[in-house]
Amino acid sequence: MLIKKPADIPPSDITSKDLYLNRRKFLAGAAIAGTAAATGIGLRELAFPSSLVEANAKIDGIQKSSFNTTEKITPLKDVSNYNNYYEFSTDKYGPAGLAKDFKTRPWTVKIDGLVKKKQELDVETIIKMAAPEERIYRHRCVEGWSIVVPWVGFSLSELIKKADPLGQAKFVEFTTIYDPRQMPGQKLPVLDWPYVEGLRMDEAMHPLCLLCFGMYGEVLPNQDGAPLRIVVPWKYGFKSAKAIVKISFAEKQPVNTWNKAAPNEYGFYSNVNPTVDHPRWSQAKERRLGEFFKRPTLMFNGYDQVASLYNGMDLRKNF
Ligand SMILES: Nc1nc2c(c(=O)[nH]1)N[C@H]1C(S)=C(S)[C@@H](COP(=O)(O)O)O[C@H]1N2
Ligand SMILES: [Mo]
């Protein structure tokens, strides 16, 4: 995501020196961790469903899904080293190193707002609510790049049904953890922390909408949103909030972080739409990471099955 104000400041200017030094330390640590991982110490024992703590631990029992694209999968190393995760850094190469030591256990998610029973669930309980599925989805960032990722998770609807929202609940709001001691980017006023996103209830209940805890058959790397994130493949990437600690049901439309930051640029719906340009650039095409030529962007990112959710809506107004 591109920040509007202050415009075009290189990350080196808004990242404090101590943060940079830390990043270098992390990168050095990563090289050592890489050696340990190559020998495979202990990681195989952490298989699903006993515990999904370690990034890159293999997830067992992954089911196939009928929603998969057959397009070429973007290599893991490209996906996990080029991230938008402003809680860590506005530099896309930053989160991979800076999130290395991020603690994803213990972790709980508050189920809040208009529900029969407000509660706080352990992430392990959530992960076991349904069988993990591989969902190979296209992901389109509002900035104009895209990737194809084999996510692991299950439909968010599985959790929503168990949470039992009240009839008045028309929207779902997702909140990312607020922990500036662990997330150096949260010490900077780049966004109004914590990161908040939302969906209309029928969008959230759509089977394509994924509650995600893995990718490439393994536990999510921290920089990709561990331990739990949302993936909404027909919307621009910023709708897919990472590291969520709260799922709240509401009657009124939530105010999402990017809409608050730049209301004329980022709306609530944020459906991928090649016919509605961002005020500062065209959305007609996208560049798949690793490719040279741009390709046309598809309406709803190619997920036509969601079109009926927006019947009768002016998607130019509801961008
Ligand atoms: N909490 C949080 N979630 C976030 C973001 C963020 O900065 N913070 N960036 C969003 C954007 S703009 C994109 S494109 C995707 C990127 O996901 P990836 O890094 O796993 O590819 O995460 C989204 N979720
Ligand atoms: Mo994005």
Side-chain angles (χ1 to χ4, degrees), residues 83-87 139 141 176 195 224 229 237-238 240 242:
N83 303 99
N84 270 334
Y85 205 167
Y86 277 18
E87 282 85 345
H139 172 107
C141 177
T176 295
Y195 194 99
D224 289 285
R229 72 175 296 176
F238 67 88
S240 299
K242 298 175 172 181

Side-chain angles (χ1 to χ4, degrees), residues 61-95:
I62 299 174
Q63 322 271 305
K64 288 259 171 290
S65 153
S66 52
F67 299 123
N68 294 350
T69 169
T70 54
E71 284 171 55
K72 191 173 154 276
I73 291 172
T74 309
L76 167 62
K77 65 167 189 357
D78 295 343
V79 170
S80 65
N81 287 292
Y82 189 83
N83 303 99
N84 270 334
Y85 205 167
Y86 277 18
E87 282 85 345
F88 288 99
S89 176
T90 55
D91 170 4
K92 294 188 209 313
Y93 300 98

